[in-house]
């Protein structure tokens, strides 16, 4: 391997920390009223988010100094551990149920969500598989089926929780990696047809998913039911205007938008900071993705390139889905906004992923 650079990608690091700072500020602003009402502590969610941010930053800087090809050596072990955790979370008494999903393992607020860590584990493993078997990826039987077979096995376990949003991000990320590796478009067409049929079956198997689709098309058809979240989100974004109502001045966080510190935090941000604030956050994400793409293009080996592509694809897909949901362009799926939404597993996972990306940047040739 080439000699290390003296420093990792400084712009990527600063942009990440800026997004994290915005996120911590908005988690407090969005959650203070609800936290004071429910826990008699307006800092309840903010304190926990700061704790997870601290853990995540330590993990990011530690991983930044771990040579990225080390993860190739441990890829199989890491993904096996994540598969075991996905099985354990389904065991009654082990997995915790929240909002109808058995997705957490742990005690109280200090729980982990195995499906979140499976996303990164799958990226690490797929980067190893694609870098070693790239010549076979054009083969439907020897390349595409084994790679997507493992992905859909993990997706199936995640859907047993169920967690369609996280599973969708994982599958989308891996599809991007496989496409970049050189898989044939004709093969993707067959898988796309099968995937669409499977997606329709998943939607039809759960009445609440059907309601989410119909509410996406016309949320005002059921304004107090399935369309409630989308309508309240739009009511937050609309009054924000160009400059917003001012930090801390949101009206929708007063028990109109359910738990605004999580999936719909961008709506509160747009309400308080306006079009300018929302555009600034999107610009930060665009800068992060640009630096990630540069790192992927400059990585010294295929493994580093695929690893960087996977991380960037994961972030990009989550951002597009979350903002699409908040603005009413996509059905509600329950996807967090990276670095901004409240959630320990999601935040820690994203900072760890950025740590891997920063390490790759120490070897990248720009």
């Amino acid at each position: 391997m080439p000699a290390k650079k003296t420093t990792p990608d400084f712009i990527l690091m600063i942009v990440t920390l800026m997004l994290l700072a915005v996120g911590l500020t908005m988690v407090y602003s969005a959650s203070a009223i609800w936290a004071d009402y429910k826990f008699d502590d307006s800092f309840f969610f903010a304190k926990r988010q700061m704790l997870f941010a601290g853990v995540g930053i330590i993990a990011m800087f530690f991983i930044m100094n771990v040579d990225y090809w080390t993860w190739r050596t441990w890829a199989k072990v890491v993904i096996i551990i994540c598969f075991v955790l996905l099985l354990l979370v389904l065991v009654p008494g082990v997995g915790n149920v929240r909002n109808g999903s058995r997705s957490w393992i742990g005690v109280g607020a200090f729980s982990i969500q195995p499906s979140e860590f499976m996303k990164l584990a799958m990226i690490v493993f797929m980067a190893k598989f694609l870098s070693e078997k790239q010549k076979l990826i054009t083969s439907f039987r020897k390349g595409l089926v084994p790679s997507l077979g493992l992905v859909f096995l993990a997706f199936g376990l995640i859907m047993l929780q169920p967690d369609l949003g996280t599973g969708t991000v994982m599958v989308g990320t891996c599809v991007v990696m496989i496409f970049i590796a050189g898989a044939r478009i004709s093969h993707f067409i067959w898988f796309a047809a099968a995937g669409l049929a499977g997606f329709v079956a998943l939607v039809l198997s759960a009445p609440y998913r059907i309601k989410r689709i119909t509410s996406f098309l016309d949320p005002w058809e059921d304004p107090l039911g399935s369309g409630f979240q989308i309508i309240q989100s739009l009511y937050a974004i609309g009054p924000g205007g160009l400059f917003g109502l001012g930090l801390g001045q949101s009206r929708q966080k007063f028990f109109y938008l359910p738990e605004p510190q999580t999936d719909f935090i961008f709506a509160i941000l747009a309400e308080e900071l306006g079009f300018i604030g929302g555009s600034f956050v999107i610009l930060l994400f665009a800068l992060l993705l640009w630096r990630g793409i540069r790192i992927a293009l400059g990585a010294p080996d295929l493994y580093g390139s695929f690893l960087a592509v996977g991380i960037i694809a994961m972030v990009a897909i989550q951002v597009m889905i979350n903002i699409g949901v908040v603005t009413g362009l996509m059905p509600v799926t329950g996807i967090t906004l990276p670095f901004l939404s409240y959630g320990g597993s999601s935040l820690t996972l994203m900072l760890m992923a950025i740590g891997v990306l920063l390490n790759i940047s120490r070897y990248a040739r720009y």
Side-chain angles (χ1 to χ4, degrees), residues 17 19 39 75 103 113 135 183 191 197 201 209 255 307 316 331 341 355 357:
L17 294 177
L19 284 168
F39 302 104
S103 303
Q113 195 172 359
K135 293 182 179 179
F191 265 108
R209 294 191 188 118
F255 311 110
L307 194 56
S341 294
L357 200 57

Side-chain angles (χ1 to χ4, degrees), residues 115-273:
S115 57
E116 286 287 343
F117 291 94
M118 174 55 87
K119 290 189 299 186
L120 185 56
M122 190 62 73
I123 290 171
V124 170
F125 183 83
M126 288 298 295
K128 170 183 170 65
F129 178 86
L130 293 173
S131 62
E132 294 175 353
K133 309 289 185 180
Q134 189 187 18
K135 293 182 179 179
L136 298 177
I137 201 62
T138 55
S139 169
F140 184 82
R141 183 174 61 87
K142 296 181 180 180
L144 199 61
V145 171
S147 56
L148 284 180
L150 185 68
V151 174
F152 283 111
L153 174 61
F155 178 75
L157 291 175
I158 292 173
M159 284 308 302
L160 291 176
Q161 300 177 8
D163 188 353
L164 179 60
T166 301
T168 300
V169 172
M170 183 193 69
V171 172
T173 299
C174 293
V175 167
V176 170
M177 294 177 70
I178 294 169
F179 179 77
I180 294 296
R184 293 180 179 177
I185 296 179
S186 58
H187 292 167
F188 273 111
I189 292 174
W190 287 104
F191 265 108
L196 180 61
F199 181 79
V200 171
L202 286 172
V203 170
L204 295 177
S205 67
Y208 77 91
R209 294 191 188 118
I210 299 175
K211 289 183 179 180
R212 284 184 175 182
I213 297 295
T214 57
S215 65
F216 155 68
L217 298 173
D218 184 9
W220 279 269
E221 182 180 350
D222 186 11
L224 298 179
S226 58
F228 184 78
Q229 284 183 303
I230 296 177
I231 291 173
Q232 298 306 317
S233 178
L234 295 176
Y235 280 164
I237 295 172
L242 186 61
F243 298 104
L245 303 178
L247 185 62
Q249 302 303 308
S250 166
R251 302 188 188 108
Q252 289 302 102
K253 67 184 180 185
F254 282 84
F255 311 110
Y256 294 104
L257 190 59
E259 298 196 47
Q261 72 278 3
T262 54
D263 302 341
F264 286 86
I265 196 168
F266 188 79
I268 302 300
L269 185 147
E271 184 183 14
E272 295 189 346
L273 304 181

Side-chain angles (χ1 to χ4, degrees), residues 343-366:
S345 294
S346 176
L347 180 60
T348 304
L349 177 279
M350 282 296 172
L351 290 171
M352 290 171 62
I354 294 298
V356 175
L357 200 57
L358 286 169
N359 183 261
I360 299 172
S361 73
R362 303 184 75 166
Y363 299 89
R365 300 182 293 269
Y366 294 100

Side-chain angles (χ1 to χ4, degrees), residues 282 285 314-324 335-338:
I282 293 174
F285 279 119
M314 176 180 66
V315 175
I317 291 171
Q318 280 201 216
V319 170
M320 288 189 292
I321 292 178
N322 180 273
I323 295 180
I335 291 291
T336 57
L337 185 59

